[in-house]
Structure formats: structure tokens, C-alpha cells
Amino acid sequence: MKSLVFAIVVCLFGQLHGDSVYKQRFLQQYNKMHDPANGYFSKWGIPYHSVETLMVEAPDYGHETTSEAYSYWTWLEAMYGKISGNFTGFNAAWQNMEQYIIPVHASQTGNNYQPWKPATYSDELDWPSEYPSPMQFGVPVGQDPIYQELVSTYGSDDVYSMHWLLDVDNVYGFGNLPGSCELGPQADGPSYINTFQRGPQESVWRTIPQTTCDSFKYGGQHGFLDLFVGDNSYTQQWKYSNAPDADARAVQAAFWAYTWANEEGKSSEVSATVAKSAKLGDFLRYALFDKYFKKIGNCVGPYNCAGGQGKESAHYLISWYFAWGAALWGGWSWRIGDGAAHFGYQNPLAAYALSNVDAMKPKSATGASDWQASLERQLEFYAWLQSAEGAIAGGATNTWNGRYGTPPDNVTHNTFHGMFYDWEPVYHDPASNRWYGMQPWSLDRLAQYYYVTGNQKAEAVLDKWVSWILSELKFDNGNYQVPEWLEWFRVPPEVHVTVTRRSSDVGTASATARTLSYYAAKSGNKNAKNRAKQLLDGVWKHQTTKGVSVEEVVDSYSRFNEEVYVPYNWKGYYPNGDVIEHGATFISLRSFYKKDPDWSKVEAHLNGGEAPKFTYHRFWSQSDVALAQGTTAFYSMNNDFGSVD
Ligand SMILES: *[C@@H]1O[C@H](CO)[C@@H](O)[C@H](O)[C@H]1NC(C)=O
Ligand SMILES: *[C@@H]1O[C@H](CO)[C@@H](O)[C@H](O)[C@H]1NC(C)=O
């Protein structure tokens, strides 16, 4: 009896001690990220993609920002609200997001959109061999079934969605400040830009960064348009594109802010922002449709595959992007969805919130029911793509090769609602399913959904995924290794995976720990809980003055001198005078990098030295660290982890 009492006291003490450790770690990391000396935010309060400027991965410069960084910021602030009881930061982050990365129209174009003909078909480019490809007229496209209800619900033609990329410090000098078009290098504020434009073969190293609002002031005779579209009539125009996983993550953050504020009796403090998240979710439905609103399923041959009526064009999965644009001076506008979906973008918790939580149901007539359909479809998708080992493979597409092509035999026997398995969805350099991070990013959301609802389909996928990852984590003396690269074999229902490279990356390790924590909190799986804590403690050893990070060797920086495809006889200029012409390279289009404090490291490598080493502080990764530690703090508090041994 006495020993039992003693055991209970030790147990309680251990738990309280554990809580405060993880809570302190969350606060310590949060404070580092908000310390102006550490450089996470611009003078407009915009989070940079990374503290470091010399950074090329998906963004081509560290002081750009992405909708991804914004979505992590809202989530970070939601958790700060839970831990401190102060939700002001969450509302402020959303406000900043709305101000700077949700575009307003660059000019009044009037209502020229024709929802029965949302866009004109053009092949995705098999760049550069068949480049540029002309638009093809006469290819059937479907109708946009949500436009009318969005206009009548919100009383505006504007799309309430994030553009994916901002040049925060206006280094390219386009000066596309919110609501403005090409104000130039003198403009003091964040500037909308785009990079990727040429289809799946294009790596960041081959991009030609371009303005989102093209008044032909920069670039060539037709601005940047004739680099990307083989049209004959060039019209001054603006266009934006959305990375739907980020908007979904912001919705997910709002769900947590709402839930946690409720727990603190403070729901009224966040209700205005939560309503905005429902609106974001309403427009995010564009991600659920085929690119040209064609019918979903066995859509082979651009001329053969019919356009969809009503919701026939909805695959209900969160696809890779959607985009919208218009002529600068009126006349026409367009919207497209995307027929290709990667498992890594799915977010069942956001879909659940938008269909089952009253405060977050979109106001439009069919918004909530579309998200209910999406929720069910996403759960089915994970199971369909699950490998024999447990990791989730690639994705599916309604448009083979981005041009409604004929898929190979090996993917035509077992389709997903008539969509084809795509082992490398959307982009190929590097392969989109190689990076391990997609696994915990997406499975964390599935685990959160499971934690909230106890859904059995989610549980079945997670049981298998968790046993896979537990077998692939390596621990040695308090150090850890998580997978970094994955390789895939065969097709569903018999897909296989192997881990081909490992690392101690703090971001993916933290996302893994958080997935395991949510899973353990619901299932009671002690092994998952203990491994989560081991990862969190391992990650925490990698303190830097600015956050938590490990040094990495960046092999890809050998590509700074790589040639970028520019057609012969094409010549144009960036606002700073950098010349765009045949023979241009990544660095020749970005002379500003030569003034970067870290440039000498890259230059030495280009001159034959070793690959450079960097200790990066990416906003998403630093947020993942904080969010994983914080999750453990309050699920221990709620005793969801069960007793501590
Ligand atoms: C809440 O946090 C904000 C910053 O996010 C701060 O300005 C404000 O003073 C805080 N309010 C309280 C009551 O602590
Ligand atoms: C399917 O077949 C194509 C064409 O033969 C081949 O290139 C591809 O690697 C196969 N895919 C898988 C996952 O085995």
C-alpha cells in the first residue's frame, strides 16, 4: 500500500515535470522565433521562408515567403493561445496573411468570367522539347459549378485564397504590392511573384521567376508571357496560383484555435477569424476539381474526354494547385483546378472541420457537403495508396502526363474512381514522392483527425503506418535518425517502399513525433508514445541561438551555373537589368545572390571545393519543432497519454 502511494506520487510528479518541460520548450522556441534579433519576420511582420537568405529548394530565395510559412504561423499562434491563454497572435497572423498573401484584384476587370467555359485548354509542356505548345481550341472543357454560389455568398468576384509565393523584400524588383501592378524596384513592400510555370520537368534550378501582374514593363516584348504560353495574342494580365495544402493547413490551424479557445472559454476572441477560415475553405474547393473541369474517371484523350456538368468534374481530393487570372484591362478571366492529387497534400482534419463543425462550415450552399465528400474520399485514398510496408505512395491523376494522355498498362487495371495511380505525381526533379517529409506531414493530419473523432478507417491506416515508421526509426545514444529519401516499387494494390537515405532533420523528426503523439493519445500505444518522446528529446539537443537545427551539406548548390531554357532570339530584362536570353543560368538571372553574405561558400564549391554546409532555420521546420513539443505538453496535461511508467 505504502509503495503504491509512493508510486502514484512519483507518477504524478513525473507527469507534471514532463508537462512543464515540454511547455517550456514550446515557449522557448516560440520566443526565439519572435525575437527580432533572430530575423524570422520582415519589417511588415511577414514570416520569411527561412531566416537565411541564400536558400534554394522550392522557393528560390530564403527571404521569399510562401503560403506554407503563413499556414505554419497561424498554427504556431493557435498553440501559443492554448498554452498562454492569449489568442491575439492567432488573429494577428491571419490578419497579416489576409493583407499580404491573399490577393485583391490588381485592377477592376468587371465580371467577364464565363463559368460555363472556365479556361481554354493547353497541353502541359513536356519542356523544353515541345516548347512552347500552342493552346488547342475545340478541346471540350467543363463548367465551373461553384462560381455562382461563391459570388452570391460573398458578393464579389475575388478569390479568397492565398497565392503561393511572395518576394518579401522585393529583391526581383517587380513591386507587385497588394492591389498594385509592377510598381518597380523602388516600391517598399512585399511583391507577388511566381517561379514554376513549365510543367513537371521543371526544377527550381530551371525556373524563370516572373511577375504575377504582367503589364509588359519587364521581361521581353510581351513581358514574360511568351516564355510560357505559345499563344499568338498577348494580353496584359494578372494571375495567381494556390498551393492547396497550405490553405488547408490554415483551416486546420483555425480548427485548433477554435477548439482550444473554447476549452479556455474564449471562443468569442477567435470567432471572427474562424469565420474567415470557413470562407478560405469555401474557395479552397477549387482544388477538388479537374484542371479543365472535365469528367473524373477514364479521362483519356483531350478531345475524347468530356467536360463535366455539375460536380462530375470533382475528384474531391486536395490537388496540387489551382489558379486564376484575368486580363488587366477587362475582357476575359479564367480559373482552373488540377486533376492530379498527391497523398501528401490531403488534410482530413480540415475536411472534417469544414463539414462537421458548425462554426467552420462554409456559408455557400454546397460547401459543407463538398467537404464531407472530400473527407470520405481522402480516407479512401490513403488506404488505396498504402504500401505493403505501411508508408503511403504517390497519388493519382485524372490527366495522364498533364495532357489527358494514355497511361501505361500497369496503372489501368486498378484505378481510383477511374483516376490512374501516379508513382511520381506532379513533378519529377526531384521526384515528388522521394522526400520523406510528405509522410509525417500528411499522416500527422490523419492522426489529428483520428484523435478528434476515433474514425476507424483512419485508425486502420495509422496502425500500419505507425508500425512501419517505428521499424524505420534509428536511435543511438540519444541521437536519432529518420528516413530522408524513399524509393517506390510496383503499383497498388501491391506497392512497396524502401528507405534509401536517412537524416537527423529536426523538422521531419518533429512532425513524426507529433504524428506518433496524436496516435498514441487516442490508441494508447505506449511504444508510439515513448518513441515520440525520444524523438522530441533528441531534436531538442540541437539548439542554436536562433532555434533548433542541424547542419546539412547542400549538394544541389552545384546547380547555380545550370543553364535555364530560354528560346533563341528571345531577350528580356529583370527590373535590375539582369538579362534573360538563350544561355542564361540560374545565377545570371539572380545577380543579387552575388552580394549575399553566404555567396562565397557557394562560389568556392562552384570552383571545385566541397559542397557547402548550412544550418538553416526554415519557418516550417522551426514551427514543427515548437508544435511537436507543445502537443506533448498538453496531451500529457490532459492525461491522454495514459500513465507514465
Ligand atoms: C497577448 O499577446 C499580444 C501579442 O501577441 C500582446 O501584444 C498582448 O499584450 C497580450 N495580451 C495579454 C493580455 O497578455
Ligand atoms: C509502369 O509501366 C511504365 C511503362 O512501361 C514504366 O515506365 C513504369 O516504371 C511502370 N511503373 C511502375 C510503378 O512499375
Side-chain angles (χ1 to χ4, degrees), residues 30 77 80 86 88-89:
Y30 177 93
E77 297 300 338
Y80 179 75
N86 180 352
T88 312

Side-chain angles (χ1 to χ4, degrees), residues 69-281:
Y70 266 101
S71 66
Y72 267 101
W73 184 26
T74 56
W75 189 6
L76 182 73
E77 297 300 338
M79 190 172 278
Y80 179 75
K82 166 71 179 170
I83 282 176
S84 71
N86 180 352
F87 288 91
T88 312
F90 168 71
N91 292 324
W94 197 285
Q95 184 65 43
N96 188 290
M97 171 177 115
E98 190 173 83
Q99 187 173 353
Y100 293 120
I101 205 167
I102 296 180
V104 288
H105 282 168
S107 75
Q108 277 309 322
T109 56
N111 182 359
N112 301 303
Y113 182 60
Q114 303 181 324
W116 57 92
K117 189 178 171 296
T120 304
Y121 176 82
S122 82
D123 279 349
E124 279 184 13
L125 306 168
D126 185 12
W127 169 81
S129 57
E130 295 178 20
Y131 176 81
S133 88
M135 286 194 190
Q136 282 154 266
F137 294 98
V139 171
V141 301
Q143 45 134 252
D144 170 352
I146 60 175
Y147 170 75
Q148 213 48 261
E149 70 176 37
L150 290 170
V151 170
S152 54
T153 305
Y154 301 104
S156 161
D157 275 338
D158 272 4
V159 173
Y160 191 77
S161 301
M162 287 191 265
H163 175 63
W164 83 281
L165 189 66
L166 280 186
D167 175 6
V168 178
D169 297 344
N170 195 22
V171 284
Y172 283 105
F174 291 120
N176 291 318
L177 270 51
S180 309
C181 187
E182 298 196 313
L183 298 180
Q186 309 314 322
D188 191 16
S191 169
Y192 287 97
I193 57 164
N194 206 357
T195 50
F196 296 93
Q197 190 71 16
R198 287 163 164 175
Q201 301 300 335
E202 185 175 50
S203 94
V204 63
W205 298 102
R206 306 282 186 100
T207 52
I208 300 178
Q210 76 234 220
T211 181
T212 52
C213 183
D214 202 335
S215 65
F216 302 172
K217 190 168 172 188
Y218 304 115
Q221 192 188 349
H222 305 292
F224 290 79
L225 297 179
D226 49 343
L227 283 170
F228 306 114
V229 189
D231 199 347
N232 295 320
S233 54
Y234 298 101
T235 309
Q236 296 183 7
Q237 59 189 270
W238 52 264
K239 50 185 187 257
Y240 297 105
S241 64
N242 175 281
D245 65 324
D247 289 42
R249 190 183 290 105
V251 169
Q252 177 194 348
F255 167 81
W256 284 120
Y258 173 74
T259 304
W260 292 329
N262 262 342
E263 286 171 13
E264 310 294 317
K266 293 180 172 171
S267 57
S268 65
E269 288 181 20
V270 298
S271 56
T273 306
V274 168
K276 288 179 177 178
S277 77
K279 182 176 176 184
L280 198 79

